Amino acid sequence: MVIRKGKKEDMPAALELIKELAVFENEPDAVVVTVDELEQDGFGPNPLFKTFVAEKDNEIIGMALFYYRYSTWKGKTIHLEDLIVKEAYRGTGAGSALYKEVIKFGKQEGVRRIEWAVLNWNQHAIDFYERSGATVFQDWLTVQMDEEGITKFTLNL
């Protein structure tokens, strides 16, 4: 297995991983992003994210997708949006290797924090993160406004 920076050509495989994650997270119909959007948004003139991929026998078996954020308390940070490994390759060390690569990248970039979300029912992931030294907060709630909510809100402005 090789861990490397993702390339534009990897985005069809990345989308398949994203769809597999949506199924795992019980949201099989939630993915609307396209390969074209991933290619443009990740590899266009103003990239919005970076990726590392796990590759085995010329097959993309996992991916970490992350981007920079800015904290008013900490300065430059990284948000790990998704860490995905194909179901058939879970338990092989691919997820751990991708995780290590993101943390190493953050250290090299001088970020003061790397953060991500984990579903409260994914105890396997929570245990892994806590063993690695990460803190899983119990007192912060995730807040989102989806596309429909944005539209409704802006109609009332």
Side-chain angles (χ1 to χ4, degrees), residues 1-6 51-56 60-64 66 83-85 92-102 104:
M1 179 180 53
V2 173
I3 304 297
R4 62 170 174 78
K5 288 182 179 178
T51 60
F52 288 115
V53 296
E55 187 175 43
K56 182 176 170 93
I60 305 294
I61 63 166
M63 174 185 73
F66 58 98
L83 178 64
I84 315 162
V85 175
T92 65
S96 180
L98 287 162
Y99 180 75
K100 288 175 185 174
E101 198 66 26
V102 172
K104 187 172 79 174

Side-chain angles (χ1 to χ4, degrees), residues 96-148:
S96 180
L98 287 162
Y99 180 75
K100 288 175 185 174
E101 198 66 26
V102 172
I103 305 297
K104 187 172 79 174
F105 178 85
K107 178 70 173 165
Q108 291 168 349
E109 290 292 302
V111 302
R112 292 195 177 107
R113 179 171 65 207
I114 301 171
E115 61 190 3
W116 58 95
V118 61
L119 289 165
N120 64 357
W121 54 260
N122 192 347
Q123 195 61 49
H124 180 73
I126 291 167
D127 292 345
F128 171 79
Y129 296 140
E130 289 179 332
R131 280 194 311 272
S132 78
T135 302
V136 178
F137 292 101
Q138 302 298 316
D139 53 347
W140 285 87
L141 300 176
T142 301
V143 179
Q144 293 182 341
M145 185 178 286
D146 64 13
E147 190 174 8
E148 182 181 341

